[in-house]
């Protein structure tokens, strides 16, 4: 037996019926409280009116304030959940390009307030054989490879560094406050972890084909400019031909 789903008009009528019932109930309650106040304070009708008005206000106001507070908290939690989902990639758990922009916007606001300059680096990592993986083993293994690479990157960087998925097969790693030596160290560790890792798709080992590039910045952060520079300067890295990644340096944006 199929369950009957009520029409929207039926729901609207139910809400209206409850609202009308609540109004009628409060009206009766207000009249009853007024009568009782006048009966108890028949010598002071003005005081009785004030007492009845105060009681009615409390009985009506407190539930409305509680309901409004609960709904506000629910709306706030829902808004935070939506913002979290919008700022994080569902496949890898990394922040999205939008989330990275929001993070950088916060850094820029703090920089303008403090007057300090920002320095650091951006590392670009691209999986060159992601499409081949999907074509050979199925799209689910493309997601597995993305998750594997994202996890490897996340465990190879510093605690405060940000990993963002900025393309179907690419990641950007933002290193705020990193010197050139620190950026070289992180990039070398990250590259070594990726090229020496072992990924198996459907029981078969797959060699990763990766391109890595890096760019240094000093001043404000222009994400689009940094991304283009790191991507254009990326080089192919393999376990057989591992090489140092030469960081470009950009002036203040």
């Amino acid at each position: 037996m199929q369950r009957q789903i009520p029409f929207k008009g039926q729901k609207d009528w139910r809400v209206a019926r409850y609202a009308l019932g609540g109004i009628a109930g409060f009206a009766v309650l207000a009249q009853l409280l007024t009568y009782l106040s006048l009966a108890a304070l028949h010598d002071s009708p003005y005081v009785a009116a004030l007492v009845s008005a105060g009681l009615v206000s409390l009985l009506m106001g407190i539930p409305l304030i509680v309901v409004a507070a609960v709904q506000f908290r629910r709306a706030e939690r829902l808004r935070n959940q939506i913002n979290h989902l919008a700022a994080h990639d569902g496949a890898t758990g990394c922040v999205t390009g939008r989330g990275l922009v929001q993070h950088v916007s916060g850094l820029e606001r703090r920089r303008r307030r403090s007057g300090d300059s920002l320095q650091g680096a951006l590392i670009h990592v691209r999986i060159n054989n992601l499409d081949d993986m999907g074509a050979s083993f199925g799209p689910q293994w493309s997601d597995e490879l993305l998750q594997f690479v994202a996890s490897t990157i996340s465990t190879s960087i510093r605690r405060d560094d940000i990993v963002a998925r900025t393309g179907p097969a690419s990641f950007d790693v933002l290193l705020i406050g990193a010197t050139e030596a620190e950026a070289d160290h992180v990039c070398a560790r990250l590259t070594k972890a990726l090229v020496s890792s072992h990924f198996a798709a459907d029981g078969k080992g797959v060699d990763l084909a990766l391109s890595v590039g890096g760019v240094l910045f000093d001043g404000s952060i222009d994400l689009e400019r940094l991304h283009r520079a790191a991507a254009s300067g990326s080089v192919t890295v393999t376990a057989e031909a591992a090489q140092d990644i030469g960081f470009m340096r950009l002036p203040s944006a």
Side-chain angles (χ1 to χ4, degrees), residues 143-203:
D143 290 340
E144 290 286 341
L145 180 57
L146 283 169
Q147 294 170 6
F148 178 80
V149 171
S151 176
T152 304
I153 294 174
S154 298
T155 56
S156 304
I157 59 177
R158 304 175 307 172
R159 177 179 299 180
D160 295 332
D161 296 335
I162 304 297
V163 183
R165 184 184 176 189
T166 53
S170 63
F171 299 88
D172 283 351
V173 185
L174 185 64
L175 289 71
I176 296 297
T179 63
E180 183 172 359
E182 290 171 337
D184 285 334
H185 179 70
V186 172
C187 187
R189 185 172 61 212
L190 181 155
T191 304
K192 181 179 179 181
L194 287 172
V195 299
S196 62
S197 60
H198 300 282
F199 180 78
D202 203 14

Side-chain angles (χ1 to χ4, degrees), residues 9 35 106 139 183 212 225 240-241:
Y35 173 78
V212 181
R225 188 179 178 208
E240 293 78 15

Side-chain angles (χ1 to χ4, degrees), residues 13-184:
W13 168 243
R14 185 180 301 171
V15 172
R17 186 173 58 189
Y18 290 154
L20 292 174
I23 292 172
F26 274 118
V28 172
L29 181 62
Q31 294 296 326
L32 179 61
L33 289 174
T34 302
Y35 173 78
L36 293 176
S37 298
L38 289 172
L41 301 170
H42 59 276
D43 293 333
S44 303
Y46 180 73
V47 175
L50 290 177
V51 171
S52 62
L55 291 175
V56 171
S57 299
L58 288 175
L59 291 175
M60 293 182 63
I62 291 177
L64 291 176
I65 292 173
V66 171
V67 170
V70 171
Q71 293 300 324
F72 177 79
R73 290 292 301 275
R74 288 179 178 175
E76 186 178 14
R77 285 197 298 267
L78 181 60
R79 182 169 58 252
N80 292 336
Q81 290 174 0
I82 292 174
N83 291 336
H84 180 81
L85 291 174
H88 289 78
D89 177 55
T92 62
C94 301
V95 300
T96 60
R98 175 182 175 182
L100 186 60
V101 169
Q102 292 175 348
H103 179 74
V104 169
S105 297
L107 292 174
E108 286 288 345
R109 286 193 297 269
R110 290 194 290 272
R111 179 188 69 85
R112 287 191 292 267
R113 287 196 299 266
S114 64
D116 298 332
S117 63
L118 290 171
Q119 71 168 21
L122 185 137
I123 301 173
H124 177 77
V125 179
R126 176 177 172 80
I127 309 173
N128 297 323
N129 60 338
L130 184 66
D131 292 336
D132 296 337
M133 172 73 65
S136 300
F137 300 98
Q140 71 276 12
W141 285 104
S142 295
D143 290 340
E144 290 286 341
L145 180 57
L146 283 169
Q147 294 170 6
F148 178 80
V149 171
S151 176
T152 304
I153 294 174
S154 298
T155 56
S156 304
I157 59 177
R158 304 175 307 172
R159 177 179 299 180
D160 295 332
D161 296 335
I162 304 297
V163 183
R165 184 184 176 189
T166 53
S170 63
F171 299 88
D172 283 351
V173 185
L174 185 64
L175 289 71
I176 296 297
T179 63
E180 183 172 359
E182 290 171 337
D184 285 334

